[in-house]
Amino acid sequence: MSEQHTTPADVVRAYAQAKSRADIREAMRHCGPDVVFETIAFQAVATGADEVARQNTAFLRAFPDYGVELEYLVAADDLVVGAGTIRATMAGSLVGIEPTGRSFALPFACHWRVRDDLIAHERFFFDFHRMCEQLGLSTADAAARFAAWRERAEAVAR
């Protein structure tokens, strides 16, 4: 069971801080068992704590210095909306894309649904094209790699 937090925004802050430390186990303590994690830029949806943990682990393997700088969080009931800057260096491969060793710094927006002191849903937005541009990647090639990765994941799920 998750430790009790004062507000849904506290849950999100604790989750973001754990991810910024690449501490997936701690980040997942703030998520419900049926959590849904959408990364809009990658057109990716992970459902359930195990799948979300796998996706986060793969992402942090590629970007081990990933960090979130929150500019604001606003909460209304179980909805928390936030924005800020994400930064990371591509040190490992991701969905078959070889690392470039280059970094990105991108504005992001996100919203979370928090129920019973646990994140139930995260929807994460950032600019895929700007990420690719800063990493020295072809947007079209990277998009094709993500499409192939999604197709493989869907085939395994069937």
Side-chain angles (χ1 to χ4, degrees):
M1 189 76 183
S2 173
E3 66 191 55
Q4 291 298 310
H5 297 281
T6 307
T7 67
D10 291 335
V11 174
V12 170
R13 269 191 208 89
Y15 170 77
Q17 289 168 351
K19 278 181 70 173
S20 289
R21 293 189 312 269
D23 186 346
I24 297 302
R25 183 180 305 249
E26 178 62 20
M28 295 310 298
R29 283 187 349 95
H30 303 286
C31 296
D34 299 323
V35 63
V36 175
F37 180 70
E38 293 180 77
T39 306
I40 303 305
F42 299 158
Q43 299 177 37
V45 178
T47 303
D50 291 341
E51 188 177 350
V52 169
R54 277 192 301 277
Q55 275 194 16
N56 280 326
T57 298
F59 183 82
L60 291 172
R61 199 175 300 123
F63 299 97
D65 66 346
Y66 174 82
V68 175
E69 179 184 313
L70 288 171
E71 291 174 25
Y72 66 83
L73 287 176
V74 177
D77 298 319
D78 71 345
L79 176 64
V80 180
V81 177
T85 303
I86 52 174
R87 290 181 171 79
T89 305
M90 190 176 195
S93 67
L94 182 66
V95 300
I97 302 168
E98 290 305 310
T100 64
R102 292 176 60 177
S103 299
F104 66 76
L106 300 168
F108 79 92
C110 194
H111 70 78
W112 300 264
R113 291 280 181 187
V114 178
R115 294 192 183 98
D116 300 324
D117 237 7
L118 296 170
I119 294 171
H121 192 157
E122 177 178 32
R123 186 173 285 155
F124 185 42
F125 301 86
F126 61 91
D127 188 321
F128 183 75
H129 176 76
R130 284 186 63 195
M131 180 194 75
C132 290
E133 189 175 72
Q134 290 180 30
L135 292 175
L137 300 170
S138 156
T139 303
D141 291 347
R145 294 286 184 141
F146 273 98
W149 168 74
R150 287 190 304 274
E151 288 174 19
R152 285 191 305 275
E154 289 170 10
V156 169
R158 285 186 229 134

